[in-house]
Amino acid sequence: MIAKISSGKDTAGLIRYLFDTKKAKDHTDPHLVASWDGFAPDPGRSNDFAATKKLLVADLDLRVKQARRLGRAPERHVWHCSIRAATTDRHLSDEEWADIARRVVAATGIAPQDDPDGCRWVAVRHAPDHIHIAATKVRGDLRTARHWNDYLTADRALAVIEKEYGLHQVVRGDRTAAKRPTRAEQEKARRAGHKMTARERLRITVRTAVSVATSPEEFLHILDATDSVLVKVQRFSSGDIRGYKVAVEDDRNTADEPIWYSGSSLAPDLSFPQIHKRLTAIEQPTEATKRQRSAPWAEATAAVEHIPAHLEGGDDAAAQAHIAAFGEALDALPLLAAKEIRPHLRQAAAAFERATRSRVRAEHAHARALRGAVRAMRTQPSPRDGALLAMFLDAAVLAVIAARRWHQLRQHDQQVIAAHQALVHLQSAYDQAAAVPLAVLAHRKPPTPTVERFVALVREAVAAHAEQVLDDHAWAALATALADAQAAGHKPATLLKQAVEQRTLDDTRSPARTLTWRIQRLTRRPVPGGGAPPAGTHTVTDTREPPAPSPAARPAHLHQPKRHL
């Protein structure tokens, strides 16, 4: 059930609408199902409709007129709440709707239970699937009703009612979602030929800037250098930054002035204080760590691989921080990946955005390493053969699955749906990114005796998933990865064991693919003991020089003129 609540000034106008059957064709058999005392006049069941309607309005407005004479009546004295059942729900009886109405007015503070001074109200049913509650906000003691947060309290009451009545349970939010564009904004975007509103475009732009910035100052610089985006920085009298506003150049009001949006109006986590908190928690690289970060994609992949473990650690603040940092990684990927998979990555990032926020307060310091690794990725484009990107996406898929499970355990319904939507797009991007590097590996499949030896290793090391691995279309690629590892001096049996122990394979659609990427990452590490490859082994690594990366695969530079994010 969904409640919509509004306020107004005209009791007679609202009652007229609720009982109208001429203009509103869906109003069939309007009548009262409940009222403040059970004896309110019902125009829908009266022989003299006009007179009874006038009497009902007078009864509802009685206390309002009394309070007005004392100068105590609220300007918008009408409270209107519509409650609609889901299309799949059974039709409730008048008695059931009456019970629901009483519980809602009690929960919202309009007419608390056992309060003789509660406001006057009526519940009108003019269609099978919904009712309207009309009330006046003046109590019997002529004070104005205390109904703050009435939407939230009504929603909580309806959640309980849904369970008790066996109705469809609506997915409810936690008030951390980004503000939806208004209908006026949507119509304006449609007239201008845009698929998204200015608010939505700016939200994506700001999130992308956050994902690549390493400091609050750099974040503002990136925004200022972004094509078609206007930035206004607000400062305290001390000169410190207080906040920021952004606008799209072609989005203007009737006075031809830019329409500005504060960061918090785009999304709760895009206010400047929130962005400052996240960016100052980034691990700032020293000269030593810069030299160590010769393979930022591998480092970022390793950080993402650890996300499931962080989410299972029992520290919700740390878990929320890692989910938020991972969301930044998804926001940055479209800038770094090859052009052909960017649409899927953008859709995955846009969907996962909702999963990055919840009522759990994030302690961003816990995700410093992950954020630092993600920022380091921008120094290198997606690898030319696509293997490292596929490895990253393989780890990212498992991270999204873990995030979905984490939210599910905490009954974060909207975040669960968002994570699932992101997973669909991310898996499509992964399938596309992995196709070429897997085909290259499969083409170099080692000789049959070597493959048969690896089959035995798989049956021993991956007993629970052995048949699934061996029947997988990526088995040939895994065999090649094991042969490459052996040629580099590693022991395939040891690598297989380490790969399996890194993370369960239960969540993977293709365990052979996942093991292939894990084996390749493990192979990049130094050989234990520093030994050379065993005598008589020959490397099967493809030594052909790959083609130069296309311009689309190169990362956007931060200090160039205006650009698109």
Side-chain angles (χ1 to χ4, degrees):
M1 286 186 160
I2 297 176
K4 292 184 178 180
I5 298 175
S6 60
S7 295
K9 301 179 181 179
D10 186 4
T11 308
L14 176 57
I15 296 300
R16 187 186 312 116
Y17 163 74
L18 297 181
F19 283 92
D20 174 59
T21 57
K22 296 179 180 178
K23 294 182 180 179
K25 301 301 181 183
D26 61 334
H27 291 191
T28 59
D29 188 28
H31 60 282
L32 298 186
V33 295
S35 65
W36 73 94
D37 62 357
F39 299 103
D42 184 356
R45 293 291 185 265
S46 172
N47 293 328
D48 191 341
F49 175 79
T52 308
K53 182 179 68 174
K54 185 176 181 180
L55 183 59
L56 175 60
V57 172
D59 286 352
L60 287 170
D61 273 346
L62 176 62
R63 294 169 176 171
V64 176
K65 292 178 179 178
Q66 292 173 335
R68 187 171 292 141
R69 285 197 292 268
L70 299 175
R72 296 165 58 179
E75 181 182 1
R76 301 180 67 83
H77 65 269
V78 178
W79 187 84
H80 177 205
C81 173
S82 64
I83 305 173
R84 185 177 297 274
T87 55
T88 55
D89 285 339
R90 62 182 174 84
H91 284 178
L92 301 174
S93 66
D94 281 358
E95 291 74 18
E96 289 173 317
W97 276 119
D99 175 59
I100 292 169
R102 292 188 189 98
R103 293 168 70 169
V104 168
V105 294
T108 55
I110 292 297
Q113 190 174 6
D114 300 325
D115 182 356
D117 286 329
C119 298
R120 293 192 169 193
W121 61 274
V122 292
V124 180
R125 183 180 189 181
H126 56 206
D129 63 345
H130 69 279
I131 61 170
H132 292 259
I133 302 174
T136 47
K137 299 180 184 180
V138 179
R139 291 168 42 83
D141 53 15
L142 300 188
R143 291 185 294 127
T144 301
R146 299 167 65 91
H147 61 95
W148 296 299
N149 288 326
D150 49 9
Y151 173 77
L152 183 60
T153 53
D155 200 49
R156 289 172 180 167
L158 291 176
V160 175
I161 289 169
E162 288 167 354
K163 293 180 181 179
E164 291 184 9
Y165 279 77
L167 306 176
H168 171 72
Q169 295 183 29
V170 174
V171 175
R172 290 180 161 81
D174 53 9
R175 307 184 85 180
T176 61
K179 184 177 180 180
R180 293 182 179 180
T182 64
R183 176 169 293 185
E185 290 173 346
Q186 293 173 334
E187 288 298 319
K188 186 176 182 180
R190 183 185 60 79
R191 292 193 300 270
H194 297 299
K195 293 183 179 179
M196 293 186 292
T197 64
R199 185 192 300 273
E200 292 169 314
R201 285 184 285 158
L202 287 169
R203 183 184 303 138
I204 293 174
T205 299
V206 172
R207 286 187 62 85
T208 304
V210 173
S211 71
V212 296
T214 57
S215 68
E217 294 74 21
E218 187 181 22
F219 159 72
L220 292 172
H221 175 75
I222 293 172
L223 275 186
D224 191 54
T226 302
D227 189 30
S228 301
V229 174
L230 305 176
V231 183
K232 184 185 293 184
V233 179
Q234 301 161 311
R235 297 181 182 273
F236 292 108
S237 56
S238 62
D240 294 335
I241 298 174
R242 178 168 61 90
Y244 72 99
K245 290 183 178 181
V246 286
V248 179
E249 281 185 351
D250 61 0
D251 182 41
R252 295 177 176 268
N253 57 23
T254 53
D256 198 34
E257 299 170 334
I259 298 177
W260 296 95
Y261 297 87
S262 65
S264 60
S265 70
L266 300 178
D269 59 339
L270 295 183
S271 67
F272 187 77
Q274 290 292 328
I275 291 174
H276 185 275
K277 188 183 299 182
R278 288 154 66 185
L279 294 183
T280 52
I282 293 176
E283 184 179 48
Q284 298 297 334
T286 62
E287 289 302 320
T289 56
K290 286 179 181 178
R291 290 191 296 269
Q292 292 171 2
R293 280 181 172 163
S294 57
W297 278 80
E299 183 183 356
T301 301
V304 171
E305 270 190 324
H306 286 98
I307 289 178
H310 290 301
L311 301 190
E312 294 173 358
D315 186 340
D316 280 4
Q320 181 64 60
H322 280 90
I323 291 175
F326 175 68
E328 293 172 15
L330 293 185
D331 290 331
L333 273 184
L335 296 178
L336 308 174
K339 184 178 180 180
E340 56 271 14
I341 67 169
R342 288 178 189 173
H344 286 305
L345 294 176
R346 289 193 184 100
Q347 289 172 311
F352 195 76
E353 181 259 352
R354 180 66 189 95
T356 61
R357 292 187 302 274
S358 73
R359 281 293 181 184
V360 177
R361 185 180 295 275
E363 293 292 343
H364 294 295
H366 289 286
R368 291 178 62 199
L370 173 57
R371 281 193 165 89
V374 169
R375 268 58 177 189
M377 286 168 59
R378 75 182 188 188
T379 63
Q380 283 191 5
S382 176
R384 288 173 285 184
D385 62 357
L388 280 182
L389 175 60
M391 292 183 199
F392 182 89
L393 293 177
D394 175 66
V397 166
L398 295 182
V400 172
I401 293 173
R404 182 179 63 180
R405 185 183 298 118
W406 187 83
H407 283 304
Q408 197 166 24
L409 291 174
R410 287 151 186 81
Q411 298 182 334
H412 299 164
D413 296 336
Q414 289 188 353
Q415 289 87 339
V416 171
I417 293 174
H420 177 75
Q421 293 171 339
L423 182 62
V424 173
H425 296 299
L426 202 58
Q427 285 176 331
S428 297
Y430 170 52
D431 291 340
Q432 196 169 345
V436 171
L438 284 174
V440 171
L441 287 171
H443 181 71
R444 299 191 291 107
K445 185 178 179 180
T448 301
T450 303
V451 173
E452 290 176 350
R453 188 169 70 254
F454 291 155
V455 168
L457 291 179
V458 168
R459 293 190 187 281
E460 179 181 351
V462 202
H465 300 275
E467 297 308 318
Q468 191 179 357
V469 170
L470 297 174
D471 291 339
D472 197 321
H473 66 278
W475 161 240
L478 175 57
T480 303
L482 289 169
D484 287 350
Q486 182 174 328
H490 294 274
K491 294 181 179 179
T494 302
L495 288 183
L496 265 178
K497 183 179 179 182
Q498 292 176 346
V500 173
E501 290 175 347
Q502 279 185 350
R503 182 71 187 168
T504 178
L505 297 173
D506 294 338
D507 293 332
T508 63
R509 292 182 301 159
S510 172
R513 280 196 302 188
T514 296
L515 287 173
T516 298
W517 306 133
R518 291 180 185 177
I519 292 295
Q520 286 207 328
R521 287 196 293 276
L522 290 169
T523 304
R524 294 172 183 270
R525 299 177 182 176
V527 178
T537 60
H538 300 281
T539 180
V540 292
T541 302
D542 191 352
T543 58
R544 294 173 295 173
E545 180 67 19
S550 64
R554 300 179 186 274
H557 294 292
L558 295 178
H559 303 293
Q560 61 186 22
K562 289 276 189 177
R563 69 194 187 286
H564 293 283
L565 280 182

